[in-house]
Coordinates of all heavy atoms in Angstrom, one line a residue:
M1 N 87.5 -114.5 6.0 CA 86.4 -114.6 5.1 C 86.7 -115.6 4.0 O 85.9 -116.4 3.6 CB 86.0 -113.2 4.6 CG 84.9 -113.2 3.6 SD 83.4 -113.6 4.3 CE 82.5 -112.1 4.1
K2 N 87.9 -115.5 3.5 CA 88.3 -116.4 2.4 C 88.4 -117.8 2.9 O 88.0 -118.7 2.2 CB 89.7 -116.0 1.8 CG 90.1 -116.7 0.6 CD 91.5 -116.3 0.1 CE 91.7 -114.9 -0.2 NZ 93.0 -114.6 -0.8
N3 N 88.8 -118.0 4.1 CA 88.8 -119.3 4.7 C 87.4 -119.9 4.8 O 87.3 -121.1 4.5 CB 89.5 -119.2 6.1 CG 89.7 -120.6 6.7 OD1 89.9 -121.5 6.0 ND2 89.8 -120.6 8.0
I4 N 86.4 -119.2 5.2 CA 85.1 -119.7 5.2 C 84.6 -120.1 3.9 O 83.9 -121.2 3.7 CB 84.1 -118.7 5.9 CG1 84.5 -118.5 7.3 CG2 82.7 -119.1 5.7 CD1 83.7 -117.3 8.0
L5 N 84.9 -119.3 2.8 CA 84.3 -119.6 1.5 C 85.0 -120.8 0.8 O 84.3 -121.5 0.1 CB 84.5 -118.4 0.6 CG 83.6 -117.2 1.0 CD1 84.0 -116.0 0.1 CD2 82.2 -117.5 0.8
F6 N 86.3 -121.0 1.1 CA 87.0 -122.0 0.3 C 87.4 -123.3 1.0 O 88.0 -124.2 0.4 CB 88.3 -121.4 -0.3 CG 88.0 -120.3 -1.3 CD1 88.3 -119.0 -1.0 CD2 87.3 -120.6 -2.5 CE1 88.1 -118.0 -1.9 CE2 87.0 -119.6 -3.4 CZ 87.4 -118.3 -3.1
T7 N 87.0 -123.4 2.3 CA 87.3 -124.6 3.0 C 86.0 -125.3 3.6 O 85.0 -124.7 3.6 CB 88.3 -124.4 4.2 OG1 87.7 -123.4 5.1 CG2 89.6 -123.8 3.7
N8 N 86.2 -126.5 4.0 CA 85.1 -127.3 4.7 C 83.9 -127.5 3.8 O 82.8 -127.3 4.3 CB 84.8 -126.7 6.0 CG 84.1 -127.6 6.9 OD1 84.1 -128.8 6.7 ND2 83.3 -127.1 7.9
W9 N 84.1 -127.8 2.5 CA 82.9 -128.0 1.7 C 82.5 -129.5 1.8 O 83.3 -130.4 1.6 CB 83.3 -127.7 0.2 CG 83.1 -126.3 -0.1 CD1 84.1 -125.4 0.1 CD2 82.0 -125.6 -0.6 NE1 83.6 -124.1 -0.3 CE2 82.3 -124.2 -0.7 CE3 80.7 -126.0 -0.9 CZ2 81.4 -123.3 -1.1 CZ3 79.8 -125.1 -1.3 CH2 80.2 -123.7 -1.4
N10 N 81.3 -129.7 2.3 CA 80.8 -131.1 2.4 C 79.6 -131.2 1.5 O 79.2 -130.3 0.7 CB 80.4 -131.3 3.9 CG 79.5 -130.3 4.4 OD1 78.8 -129.6 3.7 ND2 79.6 -130.1 5.7
I11 N 79.0 -132.4 1.5 CA 77.9 -132.7 0.6 C 76.7 -131.8 0.8 O 76.0 -131.4 -0.1 CB 77.5 -134.2 0.7 CG1 76.5 -134.6 -0.4 CG2 76.9 -134.5 2.0 CD1 77.2 -134.6 -1.7
M12 N 76.4 -131.4 2.1 CA 75.2 -130.5 2.3 C 75.5 -129.1 1.7 O 74.5 -128.5 1.2 CB 74.9 -130.4 3.8 CG 74.2 -131.6 4.4 SD 72.7 -132.0 3.4 CE 71.7 -130.5 3.7
R13 N 76.7 -128.6 1.8 CA 77.0 -127.3 1.2 C 76.8 -127.4 -0.3 O 76.3 -126.4 -0.9 CB 78.4 -126.8 1.6 CG 78.4 -126.3 3.0 CD 79.8 -125.8 3.3 NE 80.0 -124.4 2.8 CZ 81.1 -123.7 3.0 NH1 82.1 -124.2 3.7 NH2 81.2 -122.5 2.5
I14 N 77.2 -128.4 -0.9 CA 77.1 -128.6 -2.4 C 75.7 -128.7 -2.8 O 75.2 -128.1 -3.8 CB 78.0 -129.8 -2.8 CG1 79.4 -129.5 -2.6 CG2 77.7 -130.1 -4.3 CD1 80.3 -130.7 -2.7
I15 N 74.9 -129.5 -2.0 CA 73.4 -129.6 -2.3 C 72.7 -128.3 -2.1 O 71.9 -127.9 -3.0 CB 72.8 -130.7 -1.3 CG1 73.3 -132.1 -1.7 CG2 71.3 -130.6 -1.4 CD1 72.9 -133.1 -0.8
R16 N 73.1 -127.5 -1.1 CA 72.5 -126.2 -1.0 C 72.8 -125.3 -2.2 O 72.0 -124.5 -2.7 CB 72.9 -125.5 0.3 CG 72.3 -126.1 1.5 CD 72.8 -125.3 2.8 NE 72.4 -126.0 4.0 CZ 73.3 -126.2 5.0 NH1 74.5 -125.7 4.9 NH2 72.9 -126.9 6.0
L17 N 74.1 -125.3 -2.6 CA 74.5 -124.5 -3.8 C 73.8 -125.0 -5.0 O 73.3 -124.1 -5.8 CB 76.0 -124.6 -3.9 CG 76.6 -123.8 -5.1 CD1 76.4 -122.3 -4.8 CD2 78.1 -124.1 -5.2
A18 N 73.6 -126.2 -5.2 CA 72.9 -126.8 -6.4 C 71.5 -126.4 -6.4 O 70.9 -126.0 -7.4 CB 73.1 -128.3 -6.5
F19 N 70.8 -126.4 -5.2 CA 69.4 -126.0 -5.0 C 69.2 -124.6 -5.3 O 68.3 -124.2 -5.9 CB 68.9 -126.4 -3.6 CG 67.5 -126.4 -3.5 CD1 66.6 -127.2 -4.3 CD2 66.9 -125.5 -2.6 CE1 65.3 -127.1 -4.2 CE2 65.5 -125.5 -2.4 CZ 64.7 -126.3 -3.2
A20 N 70.2 -123.7 -4.9 CA 70.1 -122.3 -5.1 C 70.2 -122.0 -6.6 O 69.4 -121.2 -7.2 CB 71.2 -121.6 -4.4
I21 N 71.1 -122.7 -7.3 CA 71.2 -122.5 -8.8 C 70.0 -123.0 -9.5 O 69.5 -122.3 -10.4 CB 72.5 -123.3 -9.3 CG1 73.7 -122.6 -8.7 CG2 72.5 -123.3 -10.8 CD1 75.0 -123.4 -9.0
I22 N 69.4 -124.1 -9.1 CA 68.1 -124.6 -9.7 C 67.0 -123.6 -9.5 O 66.2 -123.3 -10.4 CB 67.8 -126.0 -9.1 CG1 68.7 -127.0 -9.6 CG2 66.3 -126.3 -9.4 CD1 68.6 -128.3 -8.8
L23 N 66.9 -123.0 -8.3 CA 65.9 -122.0 -8.0 C 66.1 -120.7 -8.9 O 65.1 -120.2 -9.4 CB 65.9 -121.6 -6.5 CG 65.2 -122.6 -5.6 CD1 65.5 -122.2 -4.1 CD2 63.8 -122.8 -5.9
F24 N 67.3 -120.3 -9.1 CA 67.6 -119.1 -9.9 C 67.2 -119.4 -11.3 O 66.6 -118.6 -12.0 CB 69.1 -118.7 -9.9 CG 69.5 -118.1 -8.6 CD1 70.7 -118.4 -8.0 CD2 68.7 -117.2 -7.9 CE1 71.1 -117.8 -6.8 CE2 69.1 -116.6 -6.7 CZ 70.3 -116.9 -6.2
V25 N 67.5 -120.6 -11.8 CA 67.2 -121.0 -13.2 C 65.6 -121.0 -13.4 O 65.1 -120.5 -14.3 CB 67.8 -122.3 -13.6 CG1 67.3 -122.8 -14.9 CG2 69.3 -122.1 -13.7
Q26 N 65.0 -121.6 -12.4 CA 63.5 -121.7 -12.5 C 62.9 -120.4 -12.4 O 61.9 -120.1 -13.1 CB 63.0 -122.6 -11.4 CG 63.2 -124.1 -11.6 CD 62.5 -124.6 -12.8 OE1 61.3 -124.3 -13.0 NE2 63.2 -125.3 -13.7
A27 N 63.4 -119.5 -11.6 CA 62.9 -118.1 -11.5 C 63.0 -117.4 -12.8 O 62.1 -116.7 -13.2 CB 63.6 -117.4 -10.4
A28 N 64.1 -117.6 -13.5 CA 64.3 -116.9 -14.8 C 63.4 -117.5 -15.9 O 62.8 -116.8 -16.7 CB 65.7 -117.0 -15.2
Q29 N 63.2 -118.8 -15.8 CA 62.4 -119.5 -16.9 C 60.9 -119.2 -16.7 O 60.2 -119.0 -17.7 CB 62.7 -121.0 -16.9 CG 64.0 -121.4 -17.5 CD 64.3 -122.9 -17.4 OE1 63.5 -123.6 -16.8 NE2 65.3 -123.3 -18.1
K30 N 60.5 -119.3 -15.5 CA 59.0 -119.2 -15.2 C 58.6 -117.8 -14.9 O 57.4 -117.6 -14.7 CB 58.6 -120.1 -14.1 CG 59.0 -121.6 -14.3 CD 58.2 -122.2 -15.4 CE 58.5 -123.7 -15.5 NZ 57.8 -124.3 -16.6
F31 N 59.5 -116.8 -14.8 CA 59.2 -115.4 -14.4 C 58.5 -115.4 -13.1 O 57.6 -114.5 -12.9 CB 58.4 -114.7 -15.5 CG 59.1 -114.6 -16.8 CD1 58.7 -115.4 -17.9 CD2 60.2 -113.8 -17.0 CE1 59.4 -115.3 -19.1 CE2 60.8 -113.7 -18.2 CZ 60.4 -114.5 -19.2
E32 N 58.9 -116.2 -12.2 CA 58.4 -116.2 -10.8 C 59.5 -115.7 -9.9 O 60.3 -116.5 -9.4 CB 57.8 -117.6 -10.4 CG 56.7 -118.0 -11.4 CD 55.8 -119.0 -10.8 OE1 55.8 -119.2 -9.6 OE2 55.0 -119.6 -11.6
W33 N 59.6 -114.4 -9.7 CA 60.8 -113.8 -9.1 C 60.8 -114.0 -7.6 O 61.9 -113.8 -7.0 CB 60.8 -112.4 -9.5 CG 61.0 -112.2 -11.0 CD1 60.0 -111.8 -11.8 CD2 62.1 -112.6 -11.8 NE1 60.5 -111.9 -13.1 CE2 61.7 -112.4 -13.1 CE3 63.3 -113.2 -11.5 CZ2 62.6 -112.7 -14.1 CZ3 64.2 -113.4 -12.5 CH2 63.8 -113.2 -13.8
Y34 N 59.8 -114.5 -7.0 CA 59.9 -114.8 -5.5 C 60.8 -115.9 -5.3 O 61.3 -116.1 -4.2 CB 58.5 -115.1 -4.9 CG 57.8 -116.3 -5.4 CD1 58.0 -117.5 -4.8 CD2 57.0 -116.2 -6.5 CE1 57.4 -118.7 -5.3 CE2 56.3 -117.4 -7.0 CZ 56.6 -118.6 -6.4 OH 56.0 -119.7 -6.9
L35 N 61.0 -116.8 -6.3 CA 62.0 -117.9 -6.1 C 63.4 -117.4 -5.9 O 64.2 -118.1 -5.4 CB 61.9 -118.8 -7.3 CG 60.6 -119.6 -7.5 CD1 60.6 -120.4 -8.8 CD2 60.4 -120.5 -6.3
V36 N 63.7 -116.2 -6.4 CA 65.0 -115.6 -6.2 C 65.3 -115.5 -4.7 O 66.5 -115.7 -4.3 CB 65.2 -114.3 -7.0 CG1 66.5 -113.6 -6.7 CG2 65.0 -114.6 -8.5
I37 N 64.3 -115.1 -4.0 CA 64.5 -114.9 -2.5 C 64.9 -116.2 -1.9 O 65.9 -116.3 -1.1 CB 63.2 -114.3 -1.9 CG1 62.9 -113.0 -2.4 CG2 63.4 -114.3 -0.3 CD1 61.6 -112.4 -2.0
F38 N 64.3 -117.3 -2.2 CA 64.6 -118.6 -1.7 C 66.0 -119.0 -2.2 O 66.8 -119.7 -1.5 CB 63.6 -119.6 -2.0 CG 62.2 -119.4 -1.4 CD1 61.1 -119.1 -2.2 CD2 62.1 -119.4 0.0 CE1 59.9 -118.8 -1.6 CE2 60.9 -119.1 0.6 CZ 59.8 -118.9 -0.2
G39 N 66.3 -118.7 -3.4 CA 67.6 -119.1 -4.0 C 68.7 -118.3 -3.3 O 69.7 -118.9 -3.0
L40 N 68.5 -117.1 -3.0 CA 69.5 -116.3 -2.2 C 69.7 -116.9 -0.8 O 70.8 -116.9 -0.3 CB 69.1 -114.8 -2.1 CG 69.2 -114.0 -3.4 CD1 68.6 -112.6 -3.2 CD2 70.7 -113.9 -3.7
F41 N 68.6 -117.3 -0.2 CA 68.7 -117.9 1.1 C 69.6 -119.1 1.1 O 70.5 -119.3 1.9 CB 67.3 -118.3 1.6 CG 67.2 -119.1 2.9 CD1 67.5 -118.5 4.1 CD2 66.9 -120.5 2.9 CE1 67.5 -119.2 5.3 CE2 66.9 -121.2 4.0 CZ 67.2 -120.6 5.2
F42 N 69.4 -120.0 0.1 CA 70.2 -121.2 0.0 C 71.6 -120.9 -0.4 O 72.6 -121.6 0.0 CB 69.6 -122.3 -0.9 CG 68.4 -123.0 -0.2 CD1 67.1 -122.7 -0.6 CD2 68.6 -123.9 0.8 CE1 66.0 -123.3 0.0 CE2 67.5 -124.5 1.4 CZ 66.2 -124.2 1.0
L43 N 71.8 -119.9 -1.2 CA 73.1 -119.5 -1.7 C 73.9 -119.0 -0.5 O 75.1 -119.3 -0.4 CB 73.0 -118.4 -2.8 CG 74.3 -118.0 -3.4 CD1 75.0 -119.1 -4.1 CD2 74.1 -116.8 -4.3
I44 N 73.3 -118.1 0.3 CA 74.1 -117.6 1.5 C 74.4 -118.7 2.4 O 75.5 -118.7 3.0 CB 73.2 -116.5 2.1 CG1 73.2 -115.2 1.2 CG2 73.8 -116.1 3.5 CD1 72.3 -114.2 1.6
Q45 N 73.5 -119.6 2.6 CA 73.7 -120.8 3.5 C 74.9 -121.6 3.0 O 75.8 -122.0 3.7 CB 72.5 -121.7 3.6 CG 71.6 -121.3 4.7 CD 70.5 -122.4 4.9 OE1 70.2 -123.2 4.0 NE2 69.9 -122.4 6.1
A46 N 74.9 -121.8 1.7 CA 76.0 -122.6 1.1 C 77.4 -121.9 1.1 O 78.4 -122.5 1.5 CB 75.7 -123.0 -0.4
L47 N 77.4 -120.6 0.8 CA 78.7 -119.9 0.7 C 79.3 -119.7 2.1 O 80.5 -119.9 2.3 CB 78.5 -118.6 0.0 CG 78.2 -118.7 -1.5 CD1 78.0 -117.3 -2.0 CD2 79.3 -119.4 -2.2
F48 N 78.5 -119.3 3.1 CA 79.0 -119.0 4.4 C 78.8 -120.1 5.4 O 79.1 -119.9 6.6 CB 78.4 -117.7 4.9 CG 78.7 -116.5 4.0 CD1 77.7 -115.9 3.3 CD2 80.0 -116.1 3.9 CE1 78.0 -114.9 2.4 CE2 80.3 -115.0 3.1 CZ 79.3 -114.4 2.3
N49 N 78.3 -121.3 5.0 CA 78.1 -122.4 5.8 C 77.2 -122.1 7.0 O 77.5 -122.5 8.2 CB 79.4 -123.0 6.3 CG 79.3 -124.5 6.7 OD1 78.4 -125.1 6.4 ND2 80.3 -125.0 7.5
F50 N 76.1 -121.4 6.8 CA 75.2 -121.1 7.8 C 74.2 -122.3 7.9 O 74.1 -123.1 7.0 CB 74.4 -119.8 7.5 CG 75.1 -118.6 7.6 CD1 74.7 -117.5 7.0 CD2 76.2 -118.5 8.4 CE1 75.4 -116.3 7.1 CE2 76.9 -117.3 8.5 CZ 76.5 -116.2 7.9
G51 N 73.4 -122.3 9.0 CA 72.5 -123.4 9.1 C 73.0 -124.5 10.0 O 74.2 -124.6 10.3
C52 N 72.1 -125.3 10.5 CA 72.5 -126.3 11.5 C 72.7 -127.7 10.9 O 72.8 -128.6 11.6 CB 71.5 -126.3 12.7 SG 71.7 -124.8 13.7
G53 N 72.6 -127.8 9.6 CA 72.8 -129.1 9.0 C 74.3 -129.4 8.8 O 75.1 -128.5 8.5
A54 N 74.6 -130.7 8.9 CA 76.0 -131.2 8.6 C 77.0 -130.4 9.4 O 78.0 -129.8 8.8 CB 76.2 -131.1 7.1
N55 N 76.9 -130.3 10.7 CA 77.8 -129.6 11.6 C 78.0 -128.1 11.3 O 79.0 -127.5 11.6 CB 79.2 -130.3 11.5 CG 79.2 -131.7 12.0 OD1 78.4 -132.0 12.9 ND2 80.0 -132.6 11.4
G56 N 77.0 -127.5 10.7 CA 77.0 -126.0 10.5 C 77.0 -125.3 11.8 O 77.5 -124.2 11.9
C57 N 76.4 -125.8 12.9 CA 76.3 -125.2 14.2 C 77.3 -125.8 15.2 O 77.2 -125.5 16.4 CB 74.9 -125.3 14.7 SG 73.7 -124.3 13.8
A58 N 78.2 -126.6 14.7 CA 79.1 -127.2 15.7 C 80.1 -126.2 16.3 O 80.5 -125.2 15.6 CB 79.9 -128.3 15.0
I59 N 80.4 -126.4 17.5 CA 81.4 -125.5 18.2 C 82.8 -126.0 17.8 O 83.1 -127.2 17.9 CB 81.1 -125.6 19.7 CG1 79.7 -125.1 20.0 CG2 82.2 -124.8 20.4 CD1 79.3 -125.3 21.5
P60 N 83.6 -125.0 17.4 CA 85.0 -125.4 17.1 C 85.7 -126.0 18.3 O 85.5 -125.6 19.4 CB 85.7 -124.1 16.7 CG 84.6 -123.2 16.3 CD 83.4 -123.6 17.2
K61 N 86.6 -127.0 18.1 CA 87.3 -127.7 19.2 C 88.5 -126.9 19.7 O 89.1 -127.3 20.6 CB 87.7 -129.1 18.7 CG 86.5 -129.9 18.4 CD 86.8 -131.3 18.0 CE 85.5 -132.0 17.7 NZ 85.6 -133.4 17.7
K62 N 88.8 -125.8 19.1 CA 90.0 -125.0 19.5 C 89.6 -124.3 20.8 O 88.6 -123.8 21.0 CB 90.4 -124.0 18.5 CG 91.1 -124.7 17.3 CD 91.7 -123.7 16.4 CE 92.4 -124.3 15.3 NZ 93.0 -123.4 14.4

């Protein structure tokens, strides 16, 4: 688990994390709490490298 969280950070993971933070801030400022759901979606994708962007679905070569 620690290996997944702290390794293999690429530009797409960073963009997903930034987008999640932006959504959380907008949800708090505008009081539109449905944005938190989308923010959680992108946060989980960024932290655990889910999704098929930027080799997220690639099969390990081992």
Side-chain angles (χ1 to χ4, degrees):
M1 180 69 116
K2 191 186 295 186
N3 189 26
I4 292 172
L5 291 176
F6 295 115
T7 59
N8 198 22
W9 279 87
N10 53 27
I11 191 70
M12 280 308 297
R13 282 182 82 178
I14 294 169
I15 289 172
R16 286 182 193 135
L17 182 64
F19 194 59
I21 292 169
I22 290 168
L23 284 172
F24 288 140
V25 169
Q26 285 297 311
Q29 286 179 348
K30 303 290 183 184
F31 297 108
E32 299 202 15
W33 299 108
Y34 65 88
L35 292 175
V36 173
I37 296 169
F38 295 115
L40 284 173
F41 173 73
F42 285 107
L43 181 68
I44 290 170
Q45 275 191 335
L47 290 179
F48 298 113
N49 201 19
F50 290 157
C52 290
N55 295 328
C57 290
I59 299 171
K61 296 185 183 198
K62 287 186 176 180

